[in-house]
Amino acid sequence: MISVRLPDAGRRIAITGTVQGVGFRPFVYRLARELGVGGRVRNDATGVVIEAFAAEPTLETFTAELRAHAPGRVRDLAWTAIPPEPAIPFEIEASVSAGAPVLSIPPDLTTCAECLAETRDPSARRYGYAFTNCTRCGPRLTIAQGIPYDRPLTTMASFPMCPDCLREYETPADRRFHAQPIACPVCGPRLNGTIEATARRILDGEIVAIKGLGGFHLACDATSDLAVARLRGRKRRDQKPFAVMVADLDAARAVADLSRADAALLESDERPITLVQRRDGALSEGVSPTTPLVGLILPYTPLHHLLLAAVGRPIVLTSGNLADEPIAKDDDEARRRLAGIADAFLGHDRPIATRCDDSVARVIAGAPVVLRRSRGHVPRPIALRSPVPAVLACGAQLKNTFCLARGDSAYLGPHVGDLDNLAAFEFFREAVERMERLVHVRPEIIAHDLHPDYLSTRYALERPEAIKIAVQHHHAHVASAMAEHGLTGEVLGLAWDGTGLGTDGTAWGGELLLASYCGFRRLGTFRPVALAGGDQAVRQPWRIAIALLDDAFAGDPPASALARLDVAARDVRVVRQMIAADLNAPRAHGVGRLFDGFGALGLGRSLAAYEGQVAAAWNHAADAGERGRYPFTIDEGVVDTRPMVRAAVHDLDAGRGAGIVSARFHGTLIAAGAEMVRAAIAAHGRRPVVLSGGCFANPILAEGLLAELGDVYLQRAVPSGDGGIALGQALVAAAIAEGRS
Ligand code: ZN
Ligand code: ZN
Ligand code: FE
């Protein structure tokens, strides 16, 4: 007689985190079968739920194995005892969409080694197949149209599985067991051209628009001056660097000098564009004409791997857009918008649901710093120290991202870019609304910048929700750093950037704040510089140089200094008159503006092709061996930069090169920042020190202040620039709305 023994225990195990679309259920299935555990596993709107039945010690082992080895990123795993059920073979159940929905769709995942090997194996049925994926790799966010993350709610819904794929999908031991985007050459998406023809066109010097995961890229031969110049001309992108895709680490080492940390960052799961030191001669100069850095990226889809193998050399792979518009995502849209740029198109029939640009990162102080957080990161939540009500934070104007937060999770949206054209604004609106659906956050509170003219602010004010909270720009920067590092209470925050509207109506950007989430005191700043012509001065940094000279030499700058600027005497006169009469010459405290002005003076570079170009060049000019610094004073918290300007002019007159002067300039800023912080600690007591604001993407400043102050928090996972500001806005608004500190 066969006796069916009732298992003596049962557990309901609820798991939250990034646990859908990462092969979680198949893992649970195999583990349960291995241990002889009965029951079921399913996705629900909060994550994954398991009901498991076995002897108590077996359940204990099962739970421990889950904790130790489950794929994805488990936020929380909790279990409760439930009554045992008769022995039933473990199975995967269909998803239910009930419960309080919590997003657990993963970011898009880089092609895994097994899938890559299949695309290179002539005997495999996915040989040469550009859409090969499995439970460990492939598209996720960019194809998701809703949650839970299941095939019918992705853009793969229109591709019925062939019998072979269906068998893999249903076979627990298979790597593609319940892989939602599973596809093969028989049933899956198809390219509308061939890799070979595309490679030939690239080698012939043509520009090809290629559909990627989160949008179209423009590709051309990165070793051809002609092809790169043609792309620049057509894209109307004068000097901004292009990203370059290389086949693998060896190919990367052939074109750039990589540290171990650089190599690890290039190969990391997120596959960011990684800024590294370019080697001379290997790539066309035109790729990054005015900087010694180059942004390299390794292939992250099978299409990229196949293309790079066919081309056999590095290719430019830049966003498929005109100037600063959003990346094109649909085939028709790309054909329309990129018609004047691309000679050919390589598209396919798998729609992109969510636009998502490549992320950008670099190594600072030996570890990665995310400069643009997008594909590979979004929508992975940032864990919050304490729960918040549902908030939408609309971000800043430039490098915009937005943030949706609720409970203990904050979701930064994909990189939207500069909100200075209608296309970008429409993308912003579309991305906010899609993300609200995907994370099921219905905001009660809308946070926005203090600046009334930011399009993100205007959008916030048009929202129907009643509670709107304006957050000062640098307060938001500091709060973003606090949130990333889980800091509560008060901190000392150095917030250095180009510009942000202050509470006094002037442009801030050299700030030291004593801040908590709910408020701040401005303890220090830099002596302001006049921006003759307002925003015009940002594109024409010679205007800032004149203002610095005028101020430092009390209206009588030496002719030698003025002569360094390649500007007509008449223009100089007009600008000096504007400053003297305080006519359209707003005062700005931003450290970024000092970089602009000193860069113009020290490099003789009067004009910036794009915002921050001269500032970046001034950063790159610094001589690594030089340790000197210039004098400065701090009076009532305000750093007086006039002694520094006079000393720099003296150095230049004495024939010292830009390398020395730039290094001393950096050293002075580091000393001034450290001095500001030390004075604040003396007056107000020790607090955690955070660095935020776009200036800390500059490794010399960040590493210098780290060395000077020791214990400081640098933003790494969330950009310190305006791309990370929405996170801080969300937390500040939540704290103010709840009357917390
Ligand atoms: Zn794979
Ligand atoms: Zn198939
Ligand atoms: Fe900023």
Side-chain angles (χ1 to χ4, degrees):
M1 195 183 91
I2 301 165
S3 71
V4 177
R5 208 169 74 83
L6 192 67
D8 46 4
R11 285 183 181 186
R12 177 176 291 119
I13 306 170
I15 300 151
T16 61
T18 303
V19 292
Q20 295 184 6
V22 292
F24 201 93
R25 289 175 299 169
F27 170 83
V28 174
Y29 179 94
R30 285 193 291 269
L31 180 64
R33 292 264 170 148
E34 213 171 279
L35 296 174
V37 171
R40 55 194 75 92
V41 59
R42 62 175 175 267
N43 281 344
D44 75 359
T46 68
V48 167
V49 175
I50 303 166
E51 283 160 359
F53 308 103
E56 186 60 39
T58 309
L59 287 183
E60 195 48 49
T61 308
F62 179 66
T63 311
E65 284 289 308
L66 283 176
R67 280 191 204 282
H69 301 298
R73 295 203 185 196
V74 172
R75 170 79 78 79
D76 190 45
L77 186 156
W79 62 269
T80 48
I82 53 172
E85 288 179 18
I88 34 171
F90 199 89
E91 60 182 29
I92 293 182
E93 278 192 344
S95 302
V96 290
S97 47
V102 171
L103 180 81
S104 50
I105 295 172
D108 300 288
L109 304 171
T110 299
T111 305
C112 75
E114 283 103 325
C115 285
L116 181 58
E118 280 178 63
T119 65
R120 290 172 174 171
D121 173 4
S123 69
R125 67 189 196 90
R126 292 186 176 83
Y127 177 58
Y129 185 52
F131 304 93
T132 304
N133 67 78
C134 72
T135 52
R136 294 199 278 277
C137 76
R140 297 292 188 271
L141 169 75
T142 53
I143 59 165
Q145 290 173 313
I147 53 169
Y149 171 72
D150 270 336
R151 192 172 177 104
L153 286 179
T154 71
T155 61
M156 285 300 293
S158 55
F159 297 92
M161 284 180 230
C162 70
D164 286 334
C165 283
L166 190 61
R167 193 175 324 112
E168 292 168 334
Y169 186 84
E170 291 179 340
T171 303
D174 198 279
R175 205 172 80 249
R176 299 199 167 87
F177 182 48
H178 282 240
Q180 305 306 337
I182 187 173
C184 80
V186 174
C187 67
R190 287 174 199 198
L191 294 171
N192 64 5
T194 70
I195 305 263
E196 294 66 35
T198 305
R200 246 186 336 267
R201 283 177 175 278
I202 290 174
L203 289 169
D204 282 347
E206 294 190 10
I207 295 159
V208 187
I210 298 171
K211 190 172 179 181
L213 273 184
F216 272 80
H217 285 110
L218 290 161
C220 74
D221 182 350
T223 66
S224 160
D225 292 339
L226 210 64
V228 173
R230 190 178 294 145
L231 176 56
R232 264 195 198 287
R234 293 195 196 161
K235 216 184 152 178
R236 289 183 230 153
R237 183 153 162 161
D238 288 346
Q239 295 176 6
K240 263 191 191 175
F242 287 138
V244 172
M245 185 173 268
V246 287
D248 51 30
L249 272 189
D250 284 341
R253 288 198 181 96
V255 301
D257 292 318
L258 304 186
S259 67
R260 284 168 83 108
D262 289 333
L265 182 54
L266 265 171
E267 277 199 305
S268 63
D269 285 344
E270 292 82 7
R271 291 283 154 118
I273 294 170
T274 303
L275 302 186
V276 292
Q277 293 290 329
R278 191 185 58 204
R279 270 195 188 177
D280 287 340
L283 295 171
S284 164
E285 277 289 305
V287 162
S288 54
T290 60
T291 124
L293 304 178
V294 63
L296 295 185
I297 184 167
L298 295 182
Y300 55 89
T301 69
L303 174 56
H304 295 149
H305 282 289
L306 295 164
L307 184 64
L308 267 284
V311 175
R313 59 177 74 162
I315 60 172
V316 166
L317 201 69
T318 185
S319 302
N321 54 13
L322 188 66
D324 296 317
E325 290 187 353
I327 188 167
K329 88 176 167 67
D330 302 319
D331 291 50
D332 291 348
E333 177 197 5
R335 280 188 189 280
R336 199 177 61 246
R337 284 175 48 199
L338 305 179
I341 307 177
D343 298 303
F345 287 79
L346 183 63
H348 57 73
D349 54 1
R350 185 182 71 202
I352 295 171
T354 296
R355 244 179 263 269
C356 207
D357 271 280
D358 292 319
S359 295
V360 181
R362 76 180 297 180
V363 171
I364 295 182
V369 164
V370 175
L371 301 176
R372 182 206 280 172
R373 189 181 182 278
S374 204
R375 196 251 324 133
H377 294 275
V378 178
R380 187 186 299 141
I382 292 145
L384 302 178
R385 183 73 179 264
S386 43
V388 294
V391 191
L392 164 66
C394 296
Q397 171 86 348
L398 301 177
K399 303 182 171 69
N400 179 280
T401 60
F402 58 88
C403 179
L404 282 159
R406 189 201 45 210
D408 56 4
S409 296
Y411 304 94
L412 276 170
H415 168 76
V416 176
D418 297 351
L419 290 183
D420 52 9
N421 61 67
L422 191 64
F425 185 66
E426 283 310 313
F427 169 29
F428 171 78
R429 184 193 299 274
E430 162 201 307
V432 168
E433 283 156 21
R434 170 171 293 276
M435 196 76 161
E436 276 182 64
R437 283 201 306 278
L438 281 181
V439 302
H440 274 259
V441 172
R442 306 244 174 287
E444 300 152 30
I445 301 164
I446 309 292
H448 60 85
D449 195 273
L450 215 52
H451 204 302
D453 298 333
Y454 284 4
L455 287 182
S456 52
T457 303
R458 293 202 196 160
Y459 173 80
L461 297 178
E462 281 168 15
R463 292 274 308 200
E465 291 82 358
I467 309 175
K468 309 233 162 80
I469 296 175
V471 181
Q472 198 279 324
H473 191 93
H474 303 92
H475 185 202
H477 271 310
V478 171
S480 173
M482 291 174 67
E484 175 182 340
H485 293 289
L487 301 171
T488 52
E490 287 184 331
V491 303
L492 288 167
L494 276 182
W496 290 3
D497 63 4
T499 189
L501 183 60
T503 51
D504 61 359
T506 68
W508 293 6
E511 311 310 302
L512 173 64
L513 306 183
L514 175 62
S516 66
Y517 287 126
C518 68
F520 69 90
R521 278 174 62 191
R522 188 188 192 202
L523 299 184
T525 188
F526 277 69
R527 181 180 173 86
V529 55
L531 305 184
D535 280 348
Q536 239 189 326
V538 177
R539 289 291 178 119
Q540 302 182 8
W542 64 267
R543 292 166 180 260
I544 300 174
I546 301 268
L548 287 171
L549 291 170
D550 232 31
D551 189 30
F553 292 95
D556 189 20
S560 65
L562 292 175
R564 289 179 193 287
L565 302 164
D566 180 24
V567 188
R570 199 185 61 88
D571 290 338
V572 173
R573 223 166 24 246
V574 169
V575 160
R576 295 186 61 197
Q577 280 162 3
M578 286 170 80
I579 296 167
D582 196 10
L583 205 79
N584 189 19
R587 260 62 180 170
H589 299 269
V591 169
R593 299 288 91 95
L594 295 177
F595 274 83
D596 289 333
F598 272 81
L601 191 63
L603 299 170
R605 291 262 288 273
S606 301
L607 303 177
Y610 52 91
E611 187 185 345
Q613 187 197 22
V614 171
W618 187 236
N619 167 216
H620 296 136
D623 186 334
E626 170 60 35
R627 292 277 168 271
R629 55 183 53 162
Y630 295 127
F632 62 91
T633 58
I634 300 184
D635 187 20
E636 310 249 318
V638 180
V639 179
D640 189 338
T641 50
R642 289 174 296 182
M644 168 165 81
V645 176
R646 290 190 291 264
V649 167
H650 184 266
D651 263 356
L652 290 167
D653 283 350
R656 294 200 177 86
I660 301 280
V661 178
S662 171
R664 292 180 176 177
F665 166 85
H666 280 84
T668 313
L669 293 182
I670 293 161
E675 183 65 34
M676 287 167 98
V677 169
R678 287 197 193 101
I681 290 172
H684 302 275
R686 185 159 282 283
R687 302 280 197 296
V689 177
V690 307
L691 306 182
S692 189
C695 288
F696 295 111
N698 173 338
I700 303 178
L701 283 189
E703 289 168 1
L705 277 159
L706 275 170
E708 207 42 56
L709 292 168
D711 202 12
V712 302
Y713 293 92
L714 184 63
Q715 293 210 271
R716 292 194 178 276
V718 174
S720 67
D722 286 4
I725 210 166
L727 174 64
Q729 289 178 345
L731 273 95
V732 168
I736 291 174
E738 297 199 318
R740 280 189 287 120
S741 55

